[in-house]
Amino acid sequence: MTAEDRAWEVVRRAYAERVPARRPAGNRLVLGVTVLALGVVLLAAFSPPGHAVFERVRRTVGIEHPAAALAGLPAPGRLLVDSATGTWVVEPDGAKRSVGDWAYASWSPHGRFIIAARRDELAAITPTGTVRWTLARRDIAWPTWEGSEVDTRVAYFASTGLRVVAGDGTNDRLLDRYAQDEPPAWDPARLHTLAYETGGAVVLREVDTGRELWRASVPVYGKLVWSSDGRRLAVVAPSKTIVLDADGKRVRWISRLTGQLLGAAFEPGTHRLAVQVRLSRRSEIELVDIDHPGHARLLFAGPGVFGDIAWSPDGTWLLVSWPSANQWVFLHGGRVHAVANVEQQFGQLPQLGWCCS
């Protein structure tokens, strides 16, 4: 067993032996000491043999000795960064450009375009910010783009309900007037097939024909996240995550006795789900193997609040936004790379999209 394996075993045992009970306010000092101790163990776990990634836990929130600015991405692809102060595209070498002030932005299927929206405007733009087409609708939210090289669709919410438009801005139409106002999710295995929430259920529907493929009752609403092969769909809500298979049958659920589930992302090419957990004074990223119950490990933890998370397209790196530290943290096995001054570079609370190697 290597030094790194021994360190992970210490972390695993410490994590498994936590008492899953809510702590009263009077135990805050004990909690702070516990978090600090866990931080020290985590630093050891992330230190490959012969090269300590961390020397000690910082007295302030954040990873010690971060890069002052983002000088490049550690894996192929480009980042789309959408924050309260603007939308940016980051190239592999770290060069960044503003593409406008949008409330929502996400990549087209092959990273050639961006679908962006503000309150009453939906727009397709290039990664340099050139507008290709626009569509005026009231109260636009959650636009998302899918399709093949030559045939794409965009789903989005407006005041009238869940709508779909062709990738060239034509044939805009209402899909479901009563859909829940939560981000829909395109099935990566079936073209023009959309999962969304409505009436206490998750529905999978062919958007061109309107045909409903299945409907699965769920006790919670939340973010919908597909695995890259389309065989698993996670419904991520604060108290639990429910995982369905490609036919809408329940595979597993992940419940929380403490903390809140704030987000999740499947590792590309796998059924391992990176889950973001918010506890009273710290946040954690856990990696849960959906196909093997009980197989989970702690990837990263720190005081304060984590923001959005995003996998690199090749699945080798996980990017974690850490607003409390004003840092981004890139994770790959035992390697950790931190970048400081994120708010100064990109604005507050950025949403992340890492696309297209």
Side-chain angles (χ1 to χ4, degrees):
M1 180 180 288
T2 66
E4 185 177 1
D5 291 335
R6 288 193 296 272
W8 273 119
E9 182 64 15
V10 172
V11 173
R12 187 191 66 76
R13 290 179 180 175
Y15 185 67
E17 293 170 1
R18 293 183 311 165
V19 178
R22 298 186 182 274
R23 297 175 175 84
N27 288 342
R28 288 177 179 173
L29 179 60
V30 175
L31 174 61
V33 173
T34 303
V35 171
L36 181 61
L38 178 60
V40 172
V41 174
L42 281 170
L43 296 186
F46 283 123
S47 299
H51 180 70
V53 178
F54 303 104
E55 295 179 0
R56 61 183 183 280
V57 178
R58 289 188 64 181
R59 294 183 182 276
T60 58
V61 176
I63 290 176
E64 201 165 45
H65 308 309
L70 183 64
L73 301 177
R78 293 180 293 182
L79 273 180
L80 181 62
V81 183
D82 190 31
S83 76
T85 56
T87 303
W88 303 80
V89 171
V90 181
E91 300 294 338
D93 63 0
K96 64 181 185 292
R97 68 173 63 88
S98 172
V99 294
D101 184 10
W102 302 94
Y104 302 91
S106 62
W107 288 110
S108 69
H110 306 286
R112 295 175 180 173
F113 301 98
I114 296 164
I115 191 68
R118 34 196 167 225
R119 182 173 179 181
D120 297 326
E121 180 183 18
L122 182 71
I125 63 177
T126 68
T128 60
T130 301
V131 176
R132 299 299 295 267
W133 56 261
T134 65
L135 187 66
R137 293 290 182 269
R138 292 182 56 192
D139 301 328
I140 293 176
W142 315 122
T144 179
W145 202 336
E146 68 85 47
S148 65
E149 291 276 357
V150 296
D151 187 18
T152 63
R153 303 287 184 274
V154 174
Y156 68 97
F157 274 91
S159 59
T160 53
L162 179 60
R163 304 185 68 88
V164 175
V165 61
D168 61 0
T170 63
N171 196 25
D172 178 63
R173 60 200 184 277
L174 181 67
L175 181 67
D176 191 331
R177 185 181 306 278
Y178 304 105
Q180 181 73 15
D181 190 4
E182 297 281 354
W186 293 104
D187 185 340
R190 288 176 272 203
L191 195 64
H192 308 333
T193 303
L194 186 70
Y196 64 93
E197 295 164 303
T198 184
V202 174
V203 172
L204 188 70
R205 187 182 298 277
E206 293 178 345
V207 301
D208 289 351
T209 66
R211 184 166 72 98
E212 184 178 299
L213 300 182
W214 53 254
R215 177 180 293 254
S217 297
V218 292
V220 293
Y221 284 127
K223 181 180 180 181
L224 300 180
V225 182
W226 283 102
S227 61
S228 57
D229 62 3
R231 294 175 57 195
R232 297 289 182 267
L233 175 63
V235 186
V236 184
S239 61
K240 65 176 63 177
T241 290
I242 297 169
V243 183
L244 308 175
D245 67 11
D247 297 320
K249 298 176 182 178
R250 187 175 302 185
V251 175
R252 186 179 175 189
W253 62 90
I254 306 167
S255 299
R256 296 297 306 182
L257 297 178
T258 60
Q260 288 186 316
L261 297 167
L262 297 184
F266 275 102
E267 179 183 351
T270 77
H271 292 166
R272 293 189 291 268
L273 188 67
V275 180
Q276 180 196 149
V277 182
R278 175 74 174 109
L279 300 170
S280 59
R281 288 197 174 188
R282 73 180 187 273
S283 296
E284 299 176 350
I285 304 295
E286 302 170 10
L287 190 64
V288 180
D289 191 333
I290 298 302
D291 295 338
H292 299 89
H295 288 211
R297 64 186 178 103
L298 186 63
L299 290 182
F300 190 70
V305 177
F306 292 162
D308 202 11
I309 60 176
W311 287 98
S312 63
D314 62 6
T316 57
W317 288 83
L318 178 66
L319 170 55
V320 180
S321 176
W322 194 355
S324 296
N326 194 17
Q327 291 182 354
W328 281 350
V329 180
F330 293 87
L331 306 174
H332 170 63
R335 298 174 60 189
V336 178
H337 174 66
V339 176
N341 306 311
V342 171
E343 184 176 329
Q344 289 74 13
Q345 297 176 72
F346 299 104
Q348 296 179 338
L349 301 176
Q351 298 296 301
L352 307 170
W354 201 340
C355 178
C356 312
S357 58

